[in-house]
Amino acid sequence: MSFLRISEGKFNVCPAKVDNKDYFCICNGLLSSAGYNPKEEEPLYTVGTNASRIDRLMSVKSLMDELTGKSS
């Protein structure tokens, strides 16, 4: 379950977990891009402000494997 920290330092359930028609959770899209629940959640791909530095496209799973040293 995803939680959001509110101003008092307490946590609330992410509204996207309860209602994904009116709310969008970036975590779900990124996890879907990595192969988790791709049939239930639309994959999300993003490059942010560094798009001009991209020299190749790769899957989220491949990127995470590379970052954690699991790539071959």
Side-chain angles (χ1 to χ4, degrees):
M1 177 90 32
S2 294
F3 295 95
L4 296 173
R5 184 183 294 254
I6 57 175
S7 59
E8 298 85 32
K10 298 177 183 175
F11 291 91
N12 282 346
V13 174
C14 175
K17 286 291 186 186
V18 179
D19 177 10
N20 66 358
K21 297 216 184 285
D22 295 318
Y23 295 94
F24 178 76
C25 178
I26 191 171
C27 295
N28 292 343
L30 292 172
L31 287 169
S32 178
S33 299
Y36 300 96
N37 296 326
K39 293 180 181 176
E40 296 178 26
E41 201 66 48
E42 192 71 29
L44 172 69
Y45 301 93
T46 181
V47 294
T49 59
N50 292 315
S52 63
R53 297 174 50 195
I54 293 176
D55 62 355
R56 62 190 163 128
L57 295 176
M58 60 192 319
S59 70
V60 173
K61 180 172 183 354
S62 296
L63 173 62
M64 298 311 293
D65 286 347
E66 182 179 302
L67 292 173
T68 58
K70 295 179 183 175
S71 62
S72 50

